[in-house]
Amino acid sequence: MGFSPNPVGGRDDSESGVHMKRSGLKPSTTLCRFVFAAAMLCNTLLAYAESRPDSALIIVGAEGTAEYGKRFATQAKTWQDTCAKAGIAVETIGLNKEAKVADIEQIKARLTTETKATAGTFWLVMIGHGTFDGREAKLSLRGDDITAEQLGAWLKPITREVVLIDTASASAPFIKACAGPKRVLVAATKSGDEVFLTRFGEPFVKAIAGATEADLDQDQQVSVLEAFLYASKQADKFYETEERIATEHAVLDDNGDGVGSRASAFDGVRGKATTGIAEGVRAHELHLVLSEAELKIPDDVRAKRDALERAVRDVVAKRSTMKEEDYYRELEKLFLKLAALTPAR
């Protein structure tokens, strides 16, 4: 199905005519996660769930046309429902037609309040049309648009972890502008030049809400990385089925370098990076909707578990350079520490 030209920046791609090769995805299971989760499930003392300190902000850009407006509002509603399912507070900017304060001013004020929060994760979702003039990327809003540089500056003082999901066209420059420690960033395009309407957003929110088919490691929850991989694959399928040139290529950055990686850079949920910190590690630890078992784990215990799991992966990655007895000795130490995190019955 073709779309009308976007009067606020994103152009239609209905004239495209060739397909894009899809990236293969292989299911993967983390052994230590399975062992730890099984132990936690067996423990009868973990019959509580802590209230989550996470919160979310959904920014819906200018609709351009009624058709796009309906599409964006539907996507925002799915995010709202997913946040409610996750048990976290959510606010939406851009849908209230009676708002007396400009959207960009509402966004600035809301992000300013975020500097006071220290615990949990801040989920920031951007939906709409993006523009790029070769120098500056923007999300089209009602009134003044927001630039990548503005958003980066407003996010910088926030000390808690931020997950930014920008599903708009021309969204890649927002990754470079917002990258840094404790930042997990997803953009629907690999560059600012990809200015056509994107299809990435709908399958992403479907996945992060808990779609079974997106749960690659079968832990009953879908991580940011898994949602990214699933949505990238679904977007590829769209262009292949419609026999169009793929005009969007989503990227993810969670190692702070400001350079996003495409789905093809992963083998299942493992990043293929050989230098620096591997991409996707933190993104695979973050879930919006937690499984029943995960909800029973206190935040501090979850953080220690994640750190130990990263240490296990580091040891496994170095196996070829280690003596066999040293390899298993190091793994044993880490598994014993994981086991110690599980309270006694």
Side-chain angles (χ1 to χ4, degrees), residues 228-239:
F228 164 76
L229 295 172
Y230 174 83
S232 297
K233 186 175 181 180
Q234 295 307 305
D236 288 351
K237 281 184 177 180
F238 169 83
Y239 292 102

Side-chain angles (χ1 to χ4, degrees), residues 102-121:
D103 290 351
I104 193 167
E105 294 303 323
Q106 292 184 59
I107 294 168
K108 182 178 180 180
R110 177 64 182 81
L111 295 181
T112 298
T113 66
E114 273 302 308
T115 60
K116 302 175 183 178
T118 57
T121 298

Side-chain angles (χ1 to χ4, degrees), residues 227-306:
F228 164 76
L229 295 172
Y230 174 83
S232 297
K233 186 175 181 180
Q234 295 307 305
D236 288 351
K237 281 184 177 180
F238 169 83
Y239 292 102
E240 181 176 346
T241 300
E242 296 295 317
E243 298 184 338
R244 302 182 188 181
I245 293 174
T247 54
E248 62 183 283
H249 305 84
V251 292
L252 178 148
D253 171 52
D254 68 349
N255 62 7
D257 64 3
V259 180
S261 296
R262 291 172 54 185
S264 57
F266 295 87
D267 181 7
V269 294
R270 285 178 173 271
K272 297 179 181 178
T274 56
T275 59
I277 302 173
E279 202 87 273
V281 172
R282 182 55 184 157
H284 191 43
E285 295 171 349
L286 286 168
H287 307 79
L288 182 55
V289 179
L290 301 180
S291 68
E292 184 176 346
E294 196 79 359
L295 276 170
K296 296 177 180 179
I297 304 173
D299 289 341
D300 60 333
V301 176
R302 187 183 298 115
K304 292 176 182 177
R305 179 203 63 190
D306 291 344

Side-chain angles (χ1 to χ4, degrees), residues 65-294:
T65 68
E67 180 184 1
Y68 290 137
K70 182 178 180 180
R71 187 186 188 113
F72 297 159
T74 298
Q75 193 177 147
K77 178 62 165 57
T78 306
W79 273 104
Q80 292 167 347
D81 292 343
T82 302
C83 289
K85 180 180 179 181
I88 70 172
V90 59
E91 181 180 346
T92 303
I93 295 174
L95 292 180
N96 182 6
K97 295 182 179 180
E98 305 300 323
K100 296 180 180 180
V101 179
D103 290 351
I104 193 167
E105 294 303 323
Q106 292 184 59
I107 294 168
K108 182 178 180 180
R110 177 64 182 81
L111 295 181
T112 298
T113 66
E114 273 302 308
T115 60
K116 302 175 183 178
T118 57
T121 298
F122 177 53
W123 300 77
L124 176 57
V125 180
M126 297 168 64
I127 302 169
H129 301 293
T131 62
F132 183 64
D133 62 4
R135 296 174 303 169
E136 192 172 56
K138 300 178 180 180
L139 175 70
S140 298
L141 302 175
R142 300 176 302 180
D144 292 340
D145 299 336
I146 183 172
T147 69
E149 286 68 27
Q150 282 176 313
L151 184 62
W154 295 343
L155 290 178
K156 191 172 183 179
I158 298 175
T159 58
R160 68 171 174 163
E161 192 161 41
V162 175
V163 177
L164 169 63
I165 311 297
D166 188 347
T167 67
S169 51
S171 49
F174 281 83
I175 282 189
K176 183 176 181 180
C178 299
K182 301 174 72 174
R183 299 291 185 262
V184 175
L185 313 170
V186 174
T189 72
K190 67 178 181 179
S191 73
D193 295 321
E194 294 189 322
V195 294
F196 299 114
L197 180 74
T198 62
R199 274 80 183 181
F200 176 82
E202 287 100 336
F204 186 94
V205 68
K206 174 186 176 182
I208 204 72
T212 303
E213 59 269 34
D215 183 11
L216 298 180
D217 61 8
Q218 300 298 296
D219 66 348
Q220 312 305 309
Q221 56 189 358
V222 177
S223 67
V224 174
L225 175 60
E226 288 171 318
F228 164 76
L229 295 172
Y230 174 83
S232 297
K233 186 175 181 180
Q234 295 307 305
D236 288 351
K237 281 184 177 180
F238 169 83
Y239 292 102
E240 181 176 346
T241 300
E242 296 295 317
E243 298 184 338
R244 302 182 188 181
I245 293 174
T247 54
E248 62 183 283
H249 305 84
V251 292
L252 178 148
D253 171 52
D254 68 349
N255 62 7
D257 64 3
V259 180
S261 296
R262 291 172 54 185
S264 57
F266 295 87
D267 181 7
V269 294
R270 285 178 173 271
K272 297 179 181 178
T274 56
T275 59
I277 302 173
E279 202 87 273
V281 172
R282 182 55 184 157
H284 191 43
E285 295 171 349
L286 286 168
H287 307 79
L288 182 55
V289 179
L290 301 180
S291 68
E292 184 176 346
E294 196 79 359

Side-chain angles (χ1 to χ4, degrees), residues 276-344:
I277 302 173
E279 202 87 273
V281 172
R282 182 55 184 157
H284 191 43
E285 295 171 349
L286 286 168
H287 307 79
L288 182 55
V289 179
L290 301 180
S291 68
E292 184 176 346
E294 196 79 359
L295 276 170
K296 296 177 180 179
I297 304 173
D299 289 341
D300 60 333
V301 176
R302 187 183 298 115
K304 292 176 182 177
R305 179 203 63 190
D306 291 344
L308 287 169
E309 288 183 352
R310 288 194 291 271
V312 169
R313 286 191 290 269
D314 290 343
V315 172
V316 171
K318 296 186 294 184
R319 180 173 185 175
S320 62
T321 65
M322 300 175 68
K323 293 181 179 180
E324 185 172 359
E325 59 269 26
D326 293 336
Y327 172 73
Y328 286 109
R329 185 182 301 111
E330 289 302 313
L331 283 182
E332 181 182 29
K333 290 178 182 178
L334 293 170
F335 278 115
L336 287 173
K337 290 181 180 179
L338 278 165
L341 289 177
T342 308

